[in-house]
Amino acid sequence: MRSFRAPALRAPALRDLVLRVRRWPGVLALALALPLAGCATDSRSDSGRPDAVPSAVGPSGTGGGTGSSTATSVPQVRGQLRVDGDIRQYLLNRPPASAPASASALAPASAPGSASADDGPRPLLIAFHGRGADAAELRAKTRLERAAAARGMLVAFPEGLDHGWGAGAQATKQRPDPGLDVRFTEALIKHLVRTERADPERVYAAGFSNGGSMALRMAAERPALLAGAASVSGQLPAGDAAVKPTGPIPVMVVYGADDPVRPLAGLPSPPPDPEEPILPTVSARDSAEAFAAAGGAGEPVTREEKGYDRTVWRLADDAPVGDRPHGTVRLLVVHDAGHTWPGSSVPPPEGFGPVSKALDATDTILDFFAAPGR
């Protein structure tokens, strides 16, 4: 197994990278979002289904994507939801009507065989974008909606306030209510269960960077709400913003061995930022180990795969989440990868490091949700 040493990163370099990521998504997001202008739902109500809008991303080949995603267009809508007095936005991708509602890849063990789109509830994935980005940028980078559509899943891409998420438990001047995004996510899940027939027993969370940390926060603080969570380039917050897992839940952490923005070994003392504090974090391994400990897992097993190292902790037999099957916590350390989404065809900002093609993070995450104990 390879040994990894997190690259040293000086405070000015990290500040420069933060500024680049703020500037970079704007051009791409604007290009992707223009077809959606003026199509938001009525902000006076949060009870109806969101309105359909023209797809911002065309068929396969028109906007890049991960290698094994389906080539068909995925129905896309934009929605709004009033939470704590704020109007929150999200993009929703519904699977085509021909997709099985009880796709075996994501159905509970007791579920019947495949069914038509109107016969049963759908699995739901909540996907959090990174800091300085937005829902359209994450969708373009990951193509989660296409791979999920083939599995009969709904995918919701919520929009963070000021292009970010309150992934830590500490109140700041910019985010005085540290629980706001947790409550928004809870409300969004409840809303989609009611209006889109999302299956409350098959709700998952994933995210990139700050959004990956947000997915981990939801898994840590609301393990009974989710059936699994995955983070790419995101770690658990530390220090005064620390988030600690409170119960067993299958979790996958995907991390670049050569991440220059938030190193594999964590970022305990981030440099100051004039717009919003950068949260300190523990290492990727410590993030995974925290969930393993909360699930009563035993000793991990590490194997070197082609292009990455995989460490697996098996959750204890006496620590299921409700009636859900036992699962695992996994850490995938991707060789020669930076602060990027492995398998993506969208170039990252300068200074974020390489994109690994040895692993398709999109399919890997969805396969994990399908069989978290395998």
Side-chain angles (χ1 to χ4, degrees), residues 28 38 41 61 86 105 160 180 205 223 246 266 271 277 312:
L28 175 61
T41 57
D86 293 319
L180 187 64
T246 57
V312 178

Short mmCIF file of all heavy atoms in Angstrom, two decimals, residues 28 38 41 61 86 105 160 180 205 223 246 266 271 277 312:
data_model
loop_
_atom_site.label_atom_id
_atom_site.label_comp_id
_atom_site.label_asym_id
_atom_site.label_seq_id
_atom_site.Cartn_x
_atom_site.Cartn_y
_atom_site.Cartn_z
N LEU A 28 -19.32 29.18 -15.49
CA LEU A 28 -20.00 27.93 -15.83
C LEU A 28 -21.43 27.93 -15.35
O LEU A 28 -22.36 27.55 -16.07
CB LEU A 28 -19.24 26.75 -15.21
CG LEU A 28 -19.89 25.38 -15.37
CD1 LEU A 28 -20.01 25.03 -16.85
CD2 LEU A 28 -19.08 24.32 -14.64
N GLY A 38 -36.37 32.74 -14.80
CA GLY A 38 -37.79 33.04 -14.81
C GLY A 38 -38.68 31.84 -14.64
O GLY A 38 -39.90 31.94 -14.83
N THR A 41 -40.69 28.34 -9.04
CA THR A 41 -42.05 28.16 -8.59
C THR A 41 -42.49 29.32 -7.72
O THR A 41 -41.69 30.11 -7.25
CB THR A 41 -42.18 26.86 -7.79
OG1 THR A 41 -41.26 26.91 -6.70
CG2 THR A 41 -41.88 25.65 -8.64
N GLY A 61 -22.74 13.97 -24.18
CA GLY A 61 -21.85 14.47 -25.21
C GLY A 61 -21.94 15.97 -25.38
O GLY A 61 -21.09 16.56 -26.05
N ASP A 86 -36.98 32.04 5.12
CA ASP A 86 -36.20 32.25 3.90
C ASP A 86 -36.79 31.43 2.76
O ASP A 86 -37.32 30.33 2.97
CB ASP A 86 -34.74 31.82 4.10
CG ASP A 86 -34.00 32.71 5.07
OD1 ASP A 86 -34.20 33.93 5.01
OD2 ASP A 86 -33.23 32.17 5.89
N ALA A 105 -31.22 -2.12 -7.45
CA ALA A 105 -29.96 -1.61 -6.93
C ALA A 105 -30.14 -0.77 -5.68
O ALA A 105 -29.22 -0.64 -4.88
CB ALA A 105 -29.25 -0.77 -8.00
N GLY A 160 -27.02 26.53 -1.60
CA GLY A 160 -26.60 27.07 -0.31
C GLY A 160 -26.72 28.57 -0.26
O GLY A 160 -26.63 29.25 -1.29
N LEU A 180 -29.19 26.18 10.63
CA LEU A 180 -30.14 26.57 9.58
C LEU A 180 -30.16 25.58 8.41
O LEU A 180 -31.24 25.17 7.95
CB LEU A 180 -29.79 27.97 9.07
CG LEU A 180 -30.78 28.60 8.08
CD1 LEU A 180 -32.12 28.83 8.74
CD2 LEU A 180 -30.20 29.91 7.55
N ALA A 205 -27.41 11.30 1.19
CA ALA A 205 -26.80 12.62 1.05
C ALA A 205 -25.38 12.45 0.52
O ALA A 205 -24.67 11.52 0.91
CB ALA A 205 -26.78 13.36 2.37
N PRO A 223 -28.58 10.63 11.78
CA PRO A 223 -28.36 9.31 11.17
C PRO A 223 -29.64 8.54 10.89
O PRO A 223 -29.68 7.72 9.96
CB PRO A 223 -27.49 8.58 12.21
CG PRO A 223 -27.79 9.28 13.50
CD PRO A 223 -28.01 10.72 13.14
N THR A 246 -23.44 10.71 15.83
CA THR A 246 -24.28 10.36 16.99
C THR A 246 -24.94 8.99 16.87
O THR A 246 -25.68 8.60 17.77
CB THR A 246 -25.38 11.41 17.17
OG1 THR A 246 -26.15 11.51 15.97
CG2 THR A 246 -24.78 12.77 17.50
N GLY A 266 -6.04 16.78 6.87
CA GLY A 266 -6.90 17.74 7.55
C GLY A 266 -6.33 19.14 7.49
O GLY A 266 -5.21 19.37 7.03
N PRO A 271 -6.20 29.49 7.19
CA PRO A 271 -5.91 30.92 7.21
C PRO A 271 -7.20 31.71 7.30
O PRO A 271 -8.28 31.22 6.94
CB PRO A 271 -5.22 31.15 5.86
CG PRO A 271 -5.77 30.08 4.98
CD PRO A 271 -5.95 28.88 5.87
N PRO A 277 -15.32 32.61 7.45
CA PRO A 277 -14.26 31.76 8.01
C PRO A 277 -14.19 30.41 7.32
O PRO A 277 -15.21 29.80 7.00
CB PRO A 277 -14.68 31.61 9.48
CG PRO A 277 -15.57 32.77 9.75
CD PRO A 277 -16.28 33.06 8.46
N VAL A 312 -12.06 -0.30 4.89
CA VAL A 312 -13.46 -0.61 5.20
C VAL A 312 -13.59 -0.99 6.68
O VAL A 312 -12.84 -1.84 7.17
CB VAL A 312 -13.99 -1.77 4.32
CG1 VAL A 312 -15.43 -2.12 4.69
CG2 VAL A 312 -13.89 -1.41 2.84
#
